[in-house]
Amino acid sequence: MSAPILVRPDEAAAYTRRPVATVYRWAHEGRITQHGAGRGNVRYDLRELPAPGEPAPARKPTP
């Protein structure tokens, strides 16, 4: 597996054409992986984000 392409929350929102709050919600719900912690240090993998016009990512199964 190749290295993740990490982007800031505002960049993730711009890429998906959705509000930043939606990106935060997806991470909270486990739909996308949050890398880092704390204000200004959180990043998301661009490869996990849906392209504009695509449906939201599915929830990841919980073990």
Side-chain angles (χ1 to χ4, degrees):
M1 187 172 171
S2 57
I5 301 171
L6 300 179
V7 296
R8 295 186 320 258
D10 62 316
E11 295 169 329
Y15 174 76
T16 61
R17 294 186 185 159
R18 292 181 167 97
V20 175
T22 300
V23 175
Y24 290 139
R25 181 173 49 83
W26 287 342
H28 179 75
E29 294 174 347
R31 295 175 186 237
I32 58 176
T33 306
Q34 179 176 308
H35 300 268
R39 184 170 287 216
N41 295 318
V42 174
R43 301 289 186 268
Y44 300 101
D45 186 354
L46 189 64
R47 294 183 186 136
E48 290 185 20
L49 300 171
E54 289 186 2
R59 291 184 187 212
K60 296 178 183 175
T62 54

